[in-house]
Amino acid sequence: MPSSPTRTDRPFSPVYPSNSYDPSSYSSSTPTSPSSPSRHMPSSRIGALDSHLDSPMSSNGHSSTATAAAAVSSFSRGSVYDDPRKRRQETLAMVDNAEFGWFHVRACMVAGVGFFTDAYDLFAINLVSPMLGFVYFSHNGNTVPADVDLGLKISASVGTFFGQVGFGYLADKLGRKRMYGVELVIIIVATFGQSLCGDSYALSLPMGIILWRFILGIGVGGDYPLSAVITSEFATTNRRGAMMAAVFAMQGFGYLTTGIVAIILLLGFRSLIEDDPRNLDYVWRCLIGLGCVPALVAVYFRLTIPETPRFVMDVENNIGKAERDVATVLKTRNALQSTRDVVEDRNTQFNLVPPRKNSLADYRYDSTTNSSAVADRNGRGTVGGNSGFGQDGYFHLHGRDSGSAQKHRKTTMMDFVRYFSRWENFKILMGTSMTWFALDVAFYGIGLNNTFILSTIHFGSVSGDAYHTMWNATVGQVIIVMLGAIPGYWFTVALIERMGRIRIQVLGFVMSCILFCILGFAYNQIRNLSPVLFVFLFAITQFFQNFGPNATTFIIPGEVFPTRYRSTGHGISAGMGKLGAIAAQIGFSSMKDRGGTNMFIPQLLQIFALFMFIGLLFTYFVPETKGKTLEELCGDDDYAVKQLERERPYQNPLHEEKEEGL
């Protein structure tokens, strides 16, 4: 084992500005090209490297493997590559402090299109169900039977629950990039399947739609944790909440577009519908089928989005790849890249290649050069006895992971249980889950039943007139969305980084509770006084749901969990929300007609007020995330330091020399 060269120079120790990453801020006074190694290492070491690598061939005709490796080993010692923790922190700082640019806009648009599609497909059934009543259930008073209506509206929520939990787990297990786009493919296929359903002897049309909507729900559910986590992990610290809120706000436009498309289709088929209400069959099929158009546009961009740097570093344990990805997406150049370029250029010159994954042989010459491999005293394939190029060292130095390095970060169910068995962690998961559950009881309870509520105030149904009944229901939905949902979403986008998540969530729960109490306890008085006033109060209620917990319950779970569980934690929280939606739909369907048609709706609105209060209580289990990095929020830095400390002795090229000296 060659001894380590005497160190007479100071190791490179860059200092970065607190609010940005500017390689030029610590460049030398002498202008150098970006790839010049002199910016990152002393000239004496570069000279030593050049002299070693330019040495002549040995007498037997082979390149001097040990000499070249010793040069590269000497080159790496004392540099920033000896400290993976520092590289990780600097890469995270680049992401957290980056200027808002085109990549961030693109990430929001790609994720937002999915939520646009989700809302369109989920809430279209609110208009499709009464259309099916006119087309297929004229013998039942042009109304879909209660059990069929329940199945149509609950099937997507059941599928969404499985999609949220399943995709959430898989995104932590396999990676965000590998799963992103798959859920849109499922949505596209299921949307086409719904629109082409037909009645048959073996399978009725409603049952066919229910099955396809269950599959649709799986895709919609997968979109929640994936889009939330990808946006969160790519976002800058001071804009993370606004970016996630903007992605989620696309739901409002999807909901609005459902009504606009329905209005256009009703106008287009008006004469046919007035001649025969069964021509509404064209309308509902087109309304459902057009929902796949935005998904077709976005699927390519989702399949090609890069893996998030946090997952690459903290789960895949591949710091170099994360550095390159960040430099690419942010259109910057890592200040350490030029040093690595010199090493990799020399490796290419000497045909040095890494081993195959999980191979016991490490770093050796290409056999095509007729050069022999060099192994260390333990039989591992290293070069020049330097374990920095051993099983872990080479790959950490150059941004490639060996199999053993990755095993350190693979989480297990035992680790998951251990983490969430601690109260300080479990209470956060309980808080994010229960607030979402309470919110969705009311949000989906009214969102999927707008037509029933509007019809009770004579804003919907027109006896014996299919066209005007559907026209009133559609226009009523558009008015509610325009007055309440869309402004609420974008108020959140504008104010979330000023007010914080918790203040907005508390405000939303409090105001929703008050408004549901007013609508529930004064239902008949308001209805008799002015239907317009009822619609206005109903819209204001939706405003404070969206400028409140509907947005924040989506945002917070994407921030408060560690990288290795972030998608799973978000999926569990969102899944609990869908259980609330399922419970609300079952309860609404079974109780709304107690005492007569739609006679129990006032009491249901009072129940929704109770759940708003429950959500308010559980909000105090959730921490404020405004202005904090993801690592600060979940203590991920501590976990990463422990992992890197375990691996550090095997990454340090001096480790074996110290062992030999004992």
Side-chain angles (χ1 to χ4, degrees):
M1 166 77 69
S3 61
S4 174
T6 303
R7 292 284 306 275
T8 60
D9 53 302
R10 296 177 64 187
F12 172 70
S13 180
V15 179
Y16 299 97
S18 60
N19 60 346
S20 64
Y21 183 85
D22 183 7
S24 64
S25 63
Y26 49 84
S27 61
S28 62
S29 58
T30 304
T32 58
S33 66
S35 60
S36 172
S38 62
R39 296 177 58 198
H40 308 287
M41 62 185 297
S43 58
S44 59
R45 186 161 298 175
I46 297 176
L49 176 65
D50 290 336
S51 62
H52 280 300
L53 293 177
D54 293 336
S55 60
M57 303 282 285
S58 62
S59 58
N60 61 1
H62 296 298
S63 300
S64 177
T65 306
T67 303
V72 178
S73 171
S74 173
F75 169 82
S76 66
R77 290 178 184 137
S79 72
V80 74
Y81 288 110
D82 287 347
D83 193 350
R85 290 173 299 180
K86 189 177 186 67
R87 293 173 60 190
R88 176 180 179 274
Q89 291 166 359
E90 291 162 354
T91 304
L92 290 176
M94 289 179 67
V95 176
D96 291 337
N97 301 318
E99 292 294 328
F100 189 76
W102 169 244
F103 175 77
H104 299 101
V105 175
R106 177 176 176 265
C108 289
M109 291 174 62
V110 171
V113 168
F115 276 92
F116 176 95
T117 304
D118 297 345
Y120 183 101
D121 291 334
L122 284 179
F123 291 103
I125 200 65
N126 198 28
L127 298 175
V128 168
S129 180
M131 293 183 193
L132 294 177
F134 284 104
V135 178
Y136 298 101
F137 296 96
S138 57
H139 58 280
N140 194 49
N142 294 324
T143 303
V144 174
D147 56 341
V148 175
D149 182 73
L150 175 62
L152 291 171
K153 293 178 179 177
I154 203 176
S155 54
S157 294
V158 174
T160 302
F161 169 79
F162 287 104
Q164 287 166 334
V165 176
F167 273 83
Y169 168 77
L170 291 174
D172 281 337
K173 185 74 173 177
L174 304 177
R176 289 78 160 115
K177 173 180 172 59
R178 184 176 277 183
M179 302 307 299
Y180 208 39
V182 174
E183 79 290 352
L184 272 190
V185 173
I186 295 174
I187 291 172
I188 292 168
V189 173
T191 301
F192 270 121
Q194 287 179 84
S195 63
L196 299 177
C197 269
D199 210 356
S200 69
Y201 181 78
L203 186 68
S204 67
L205 181 137
M207 184 56 67
I209 296 176
I210 288 171
L211 291 175
W212 278 116
R213 286 191 65 79
F214 172 79
I215 298 172
L216 171 75
I218 294 175
V220 170
D223 204 20
Y224 277 73
L226 285 168
S227 291
V229 169
I230 286 175
T231 305
S232 172
E233 293 181 351
F234 271 122
T236 62
T237 300
N238 61 346
R239 293 185 178 88
R240 186 177 61 240
M243 287 178 63
M244 297 179 73
V247 169
F248 197 65
M250 294 302 293
Q251 276 196 340
F253 289 119
Y255 200 0
L256 175 64
T257 303
T258 303
I260 293 174
V261 171
I263 288 173
I264 294 172
L265 291 172
L266 286 170
L267 290 172
F269 289 94
R270 178 173 183 173
S271 59
L272 293 176
I273 296 170
E274 290 177 340
D275 290 340
D276 186 350
R278 289 179 296 178
N279 285 309
L280 281 169
D281 198 52
Y282 294 107
V283 176
W284 79 259
R285 291 182 187 276
C286 292
L287 180 63
I288 290 288
L290 289 172
C292 68
V293 173
L296 287 170
V297 174
V299 68
Y300 167 78
F301 297 100
R302 289 201 171 189
L303 292 173
T304 56
I305 199 169
E307 184 59 87
T308 67
R310 284 180 164 88
F311 183 86
V312 172
M313 286 189 291
D314 295 343
V315 179
E316 292 183 350
N317 197 21
N318 195 333
I319 298 177
K321 181 178 183 297
E323 290 173 332
R324 292 191 296 273
D325 288 348
V326 169
T328 299
V329 299
L330 299 181
K331 304 302 181 186
T332 63
R333 182 179 179 83
N334 189 342
L336 304 177
Q337 187 72 36
S338 59
T339 304
R340 181 164 58 249
D341 289 344
V342 172
V343 178
E344 293 185 343
D345 287 345
R346 299 299 188 178
N347 295 341
T348 302
Q349 176 183 343
F350 282 86
N351 299 312
L352 296 169
V353 296
R356 293 183 179 181
K357 185 177 181 180
N358 297 326
S359 172
L360 292 177
D362 284 346
Y363 194 58
R364 63 183 67 206
Y365 273 94
D366 192 338
S367 60
T368 58
T369 64
N370 296 320
S371 300
S372 58
V374 177
D376 68 2
R377 68 184 187 282
N378 294 320
R380 293 186 305 175
T382 81
V383 187
N386 178 12
S387 68
F389 290 86
Q391 185 71 5
D392 293 344
Y394 172 84
F395 295 96
H396 280 280
L397 184 62
H398 298 287
R400 303 170 191 166
D401 279 335
S402 66
S404 63
Q406 290 186 10
K407 289 178 183 176
H408 284 293
R409 300 294 175 86
K410 293 297 183 183
T411 57
T412 63
M413 181 58 67
M414 184 65 68
D415 185 37
F416 178 87
V417 172
R418 186 183 302 113
Y419 178 84
F420 284 106
S421 64
R422 296 195 292 270
W423 170 246
E424 63 269 21
N425 299 327
F426 177 74
K427 74 174 183 178
I428 296 175
L429 180 62
M430 182 171 64
T432 58
S433 299
M434 290 305 299
T435 52
W436 208 331
F437 176 89
L439 179 276
D440 274 6
V441 168
F443 186 80
Y444 281 89
I446 61 174
L448 293 176
N449 298 285
N450 278 344
T451 53
F452 288 119
I453 296 172
L454 291 173
S455 66
T456 62
I457 57 172
H458 312 294
F459 202 87
S461 179
V462 178
S463 179
D465 189 336
Y467 174 80
H468 285 97
T469 295
M470 292 310 308
W471 177 267
N472 287 351
T474 304
V475 171
Q477 175 169 305
V478 170
I479 291 172
I480 291 172
V481 174
M482 289 290 289
L483 288 177
I486 290 181
Y489 282 119
W490 290 98
F491 264 70
T492 303
V493 175
L495 298 176
I496 192 167
E497 298 298 354
R498 298 181 184 179
M499 295 178 61
R501 285 64 157 162
I502 300 302
R503 288 177 65 186
I504 290 177
Q505 184 159 307
V506 168
L507 175 65
F509 273 130
V510 169
M511 293 302 300
S512 296
C513 182
I514 293 172
L515 289 166
F516 274 125
C517 285
I518 294 172
L519 289 171
F521 288 102
Y523 181 85
N524 292 316
Q525 294 88 331
I526 296 173
R527 183 184 65 172
N528 296 332
L529 176 65
S530 172
V532 175
L533 177 61
F534 186 95
V535 171
F536 175 76
L537 291 174
F538 195 68
I540 294 299
T541 304
Q542 291 209 341
F543 171 84
F544 280 107
Q545 285 186 318
N546 292 297
F547 179 47
N550 191 39
T552 55
T553 54
F554 170 80
I555 294 168
I556 294 173
E559 301 177 305
V560 293
F561 301 114
T563 302
R564 61 195 188 279
Y565 305 133
R566 185 166 293 127
S567 185
T568 304
H570 195 284
I572 292 172
S573 302
M576 283 295 294
K578 279 301 167 286
L579 289 180
I582 294 168
Q585 194 54 49
I586 293 174
F588 196 101
S589 179
S590 61
M591 293 190 293
K592 70 182 180 67
D593 292 330
R594 286 186 178 182
T597 303
N598 295 335
M599 292 299 293
F600 202 73
I601 286 180
Q603 288 75 15
L604 288 172
L605 295 175
Q606 297 166 21
I607 293 173
F608 294 159
L610 173 62
F611 276 97
M612 294 298 95
F613 181 73
I614 292 173
L616 175 64
L617 296 180
F618 278 99
T619 296
Y620 292 97
F621 286 84
V622 182
E624 177 57 73
T625 60
K626 169 190 166 187
K628 297 179 181 179
T629 68
L630 298 179
E631 287 66 38
E632 287 179 283
L633 289 166
C634 59
D636 226 9
D637 274 332
D638 296 335
Y639 175 80
V641 166
K642 290 178 183 178
Q643 294 294 333
L644 290 167
E645 283 295 338
R646 293 174 188 169
E647 298 164 8
R648 184 167 172 74
Y650 304 101
Q651 299 162 1
N652 190 345
L654 302 178
H655 175 65
E656 289 189 4
E657 295 177 14
K658 292 178 181 178
E659 284 187 346
E660 283 192 346
L662 295 177

